[in-house]
Structures are given as structure tokens and as C-alpha cells.
Amino acid sequence: MAVVKVIELLAESSVSWEAATKEAINEASKTLTNIQSVYVENFQAVVKDNEITNYRVNAKISFIVAD
């Protein structure tokens, strides 16, 4: 039987929401192992001078807790 834990991260990218999601996974993987999935709960864009400058995601990352 495995125990799965979920953490919530906010991540940002100047490229895209996908890049922001990848950034969340990259940061989480620095201290976590056994990452199983990511669920993006919210999307947000920062706008300056009528242009999107940054993309933000609220990501929930699931990983298996080691025995």
C-alpha cells in the first residue's frame, strides 16, 4: 500500500502556462522523489501595457511517500 502526499506550489514563467507548470515540477523535484502527477488548479496572466508578461499557475503535485 502506498501513501500519496499532495503539495501546492505557485509557479511563474514569461513563456507560457506550460512552462510555468514545468517550472513547478522542476522545483519540486529538487527535494521530492516519486512525483506521480501535477494538477493545475488555476491559471493567471500578468498584463503590462496590454501585453501578457508572465504566466502563473497554482499547481498541486502528488508524490508517493517513501516507506
Side-chain angles (χ1 to χ4, degrees), residues 12-17 20 43-56:
E12 184 172 278
S13 170
S14 61
V15 179
S16 68
W17 284 297
F43 296 91
Q44 180 182 16
V46 178
V47 177
K48 184 175 181 182
D49 297 326
N50 296 324
E51 296 289 330
I52 294 175
T53 59
N54 283 341
Y55 299 86
R56 294 178 179 163

Side-chain angles (χ1 to χ4, degrees), residues 14 18 21-22 26-31 34 36 42 46 50-51 55-56 58 64 67:
S14 61
E18 182 179 332
T21 304
K22 288 180 181 181
N26 289 340
E27 284 301 311
S29 68
K30 291 179 181 178
T31 57
N34 300 319
Q36 301 296 302
N42 292 311
V46 178
N50 296 324
E51 296 289 330
Y55 299 86
R56 294 178 179 163
N58 180 338
I64 296 175
D67 291 334

Side-chain angles (χ1 to χ4, degrees), residues 6-12 16-25 36-45 55-62:
V6 178
I7 63 168
E8 188 170 358
L9 297 177
L10 304 175
E12 184 172 278
S16 68
W17 284 297
E18 182 179 332
T21 304
K22 288 180 181 181
E23 182 62 24
I25 293 294
Q36 301 296 302
S37 66
V38 59
Y39 170 74
V40 178
E41 187 172 52
N42 292 311
F43 296 91
Q44 180 182 16
Y55 299 86
R56 294 178 179 163
V57 296
N58 180 338
K60 292 187 177 188
I61 297 173
S62 303

